[in-house]
Amino acid sequence: MYKKKEDETKPVKIQASAFTLEDHKKQLAAWIEAEHIPGKFQAWYTAPADPTHSDWRIKSVYKGPQELLEVEVPVRKMDVPDIVTQILSQLRKDHLRAFRKSIRQILLRATGDGRFAMLVQANLRGRNSAHASKTFVDFVQRSLPEVISLHFIQCKPDHLFDPAIAQTMSTEAKCAIGKDFMPIAETGFSMHVLDWAPRVKDAWIGLPKRIADAIHPTKGDRLFEFYSASSYVGASLANLFESVDCLDCRETAMLSAKLNARSLIENNLRFHRQKLDANFFAKFFRKPENEGRWTFYFNLPGDEPLATGVVQTAATSRPERILLQTSNLEVAAKEIRKFRNEGYMLRKSIPLYLEPGSAKFEVLFIFVPDRNGLLGRNPANLARSRNVQRPKESANRAKTGNIPHFVQKSPSFRSRKD
């Protein structure tokens, strides 16, 4: 009987995909050659992955008739940290059986400095599971000082919570320990516990500096970060720009951005909660206070492309530079051609290996205006102001009908002869 109980809760360790950096380098090289991608590719940007700086997931799965606890490894062959082992050992105890049976997943979200925010998604039905959950909370407070917060979460419709796709569902979080926000390492910035961030934090934390080294912002430059999530990149670069605007459609992103904006000395970060579409730029730059020398940073979530018409309207706004970050090479090839058709040339590209050991890598593409006609079009006028200007209103028929037209009639043959 005891043997059966152990089998029911025996953890199954699931390794991440067996991709190496060399595999990704070959994949990227083949794509560059096949798609004839121009521009200079710089050195790969990455950082060693620390187990205590990475997100860990413990979830309940069925293996035949048995329900087991499965551990997702964020990086292949990464050692399981002690905190995960302690949680599994505690859940094996008989007095937590009802709570263990109710668990859908336990998500440990790393802050990037060795601490974690714990999210427990469970179907707590009945007095026994509710009582056992309180016992588990007491254990966390007593034995796991690395856990700075614990939230019980529920998703509607019922679905396994994933921060990367949380915008497609309604997620309720009930705080049992700590606060709703978690720090991002020792950067001074924070994010909501339900907000998106890469599972491995080490390279991501250093990403703003890598971006700054690539674009070299100057005095008077302004930054607009789209799909910004917690606005960590924008907030980190705010001291290098005159102003920073961030856009995202999620409520958690808005809460994170407002908190980070209060941490800035210059108070120069604004947040816009909405989805990005082709009409946004005309509305935004219609206001005189939004004119300036802009850098647009599109950090595409997942495999999504830019919305229809965004490339054209973004290029019409004449930003100083455009940054496009994506993990989908097929999407990247299409967007590169669109930007080139709009007069923006690919200046440089930076491969980003933010989650080492996974099957995913990203590329940061940096576009600049074609001022010398290298794309075969009329070069940009060097004397023309590079500031973003408000769109000019086109005259309609009603207005043109009121404009007087002066036409000099040609003299007849008789009048010319006279």
Side-chain angles (χ1 to χ4, degrees):
M1 191 69 180
Y2 179 78
K3 173 77 170 167
K4 182 178 180 181
K5 291 181 180 179
E6 287 294 307
D7 289 342
E8 288 177 346
T9 58
K10 183 179 179 180
V12 179
K13 185 176 178 181
I14 303 300
Q15 292 285 359
S17 301
F19 281 85
T20 65
L21 180 57
E22 293 302 320
D23 295 330
H24 290 314
K25 287 182 177 180
K26 294 177 182 178
Q27 181 184 358
L28 181 61
W31 173 76
I32 293 172
E33 182 179 358
E35 297 291 342
H36 306 288
I37 303 299
K40 178 182 179 182
F41 276 75
Q42 298 191 340
W44 282 71
Y45 170 75
T46 187
D50 189 315
T52 61
H53 299 169
S54 305
D55 293 353
W56 290 82
R57 189 192 305 270
I58 303 171
K59 63 181 181 181
S60 178
V61 297
Y62 282 95
K63 301 290 184 180
Q66 292 184 338
E67 187 177 5
L68 306 176
L69 294 176
E70 175 183 273
V71 179
E72 282 188 1
V73 182
V75 174
R76 183 173 174 79
K77 297 183 179 179
M78 176 179 279
D79 295 331
V80 179
D82 291 340
I83 184 172
V84 177
T85 304
Q86 288 179 271
I87 293 172
L88 289 171
S89 298
Q90 183 69 11
L91 292 175
R92 290 192 183 102
K93 296 183 178 179
D94 190 64
H95 70 282
L96 291 179
R97 178 182 178 85
F99 174 64
R100 181 176 69 244
K101 291 295 183 182
S102 70
I103 292 175
R104 295 206 62 188
Q105 70 166 331
I106 295 178
L107 183 58
L108 292 170
R109 308 209 64 193
T111 62
D113 57 8
R115 296 178 292 172
F116 294 88
M118 182 183 294
L119 303 179
V120 179
Q121 186 175 1
N123 298 320
L124 299 177
R125 298 173 182 175
R127 183 173 57 185
N128 291 338
S129 60
H131 176 74
S133 68
K134 294 179 181 179
T135 304
F136 179 76
V137 172
D138 292 339
F139 159 75
V140 173
Q141 287 183 304
R142 183 179 64 254
S143 305
L144 302 178
E146 309 98 317
V147 177
I148 61 173
S149 65
L150 187 153
H151 290 72
F152 287 94
I153 61 173
Q154 293 289 336
C155 296
K156 297 179 181 180
D158 190 18
H159 193 276
L160 200 65
F161 173 74
D162 187 343
I165 58 174
Q167 67 271 21
T168 62
M169 67 183 75
S170 173
T171 304
E172 297 179 0
K174 181 179 179 181
C175 183
I177 301 174
K179 302 178 181 180
D180 291 340
F181 295 90
M182 51 187 287
I184 301 176
E186 299 176 355
T187 62
F189 300 113
S190 304
M191 58 177 285
H192 196 278
V193 293
L194 300 181
D195 208 355
W196 173 87
R199 294 188 64 178
V200 181
K201 303 298 190 297
D202 299 275
W204 176 65
I205 290 173
L207 182 60
K209 183 179 184 305
R210 182 66 187 91
I211 293 176
D213 292 341
I215 64 177
H216 305 292
T218 58
K219 184 178 180 180
D221 282 358
R222 306 177 73 175
L223 174 67
F224 209 130
E225 181 184 6
F226 299 94
Y227 311 100
S228 60
S230 63
S231 302
Y232 166 66
V233 173
S236 300
L237 297 175
N239 63 323
L240 302 177
F241 289 88
E242 179 180 328
S243 66
V244 175
D245 285 75
C246 300
L247 180 146
D248 202 293
C249 63
R250 290 170 287 191
E251 182 182 7
T252 54
M254 177 186 68
L255 297 174
S256 300
K258 288 185 175 181
L259 179 62
N260 290 330
R262 292 196 290 267
S263 302
L264 299 175
I265 298 176
E266 298 294 335
N267 193 26
N268 60 341
L269 187 147
R270 297 183 298 177
F271 181 83
H272 309 264
R273 187 185 176 188
Q274 66 176 88
K275 290 186 177 181
L276 178 62
D277 56 30
N279 298 323
F280 173 80
F281 297 94
K283 296 178 182 178
F284 182 78
F285 291 115
R286 189 173 291 125
K287 301 177 181 179
E289 63 268 22
N290 292 333
E291 295 182 2
R293 194 167 62 243
W294 284 89
T295 295
F296 293 166
Y297 173 37
F298 299 98
N299 185 6
L300 296 180
D303 294 336
E304 294 183 21
L306 286 170
T308 303
V310 167
V311 171
Q312 291 76 12
T313 53
T316 302
S317 302
R318 294 192 292 110
E320 179 71 9
R321 59 181 75 85
I322 297 174
L323 279 59
L324 176 70
Q325 182 175 329
T326 179
S327 60
N328 190 322
L329 295 182
E330 182 179 355
V331 168
K334 294 178 181 179
E335 305 296 3
I336 289 172
R337 286 192 286 268
K338 290 179 183 178
F339 278 118
R340 286 169 62 87
N341 290 336
E342 297 299 325
Y344 276 80
M345 56 188 296
L346 183 58
R347 180 71 176 273
K348 64 178 75 170
S349 306
I350 306 173
L352 308 175
Y353 200 24
L354 300 182
E355 300 184 40
S358 69
K360 171 186 174 183
F361 70 93
E362 302 177 58
V363 183
L364 177 65
F365 301 97
I366 302 176
F367 300 87
V368 296
D370 177 22
R371 303 190 186 280
N372 299 312
L374 299 179
L375 297 177
R377 295 170 178 81
N378 294 328
N381 189 348
L382 296 178
R384 186 183 181 188
S385 171
R386 295 187 296 177
N387 287 356
V388 173
Q389 297 177 351
R390 287 172 289 166
K392 295 181 179 179
E393 296 183 1
S394 59
N396 54 32
R397 292 184 177 181
K399 294 181 179 179
T400 55
N402 299 326
I403 300 176
H405 296 275
F406 299 94
V407 180
Q408 183 178 2
K409 295 182 179 180
S410 302
S412 62
F413 177 77
R414 181 181 298 274
S415 62
R416 289 200 304 269
K417 185 176 181 180
D418 295 341

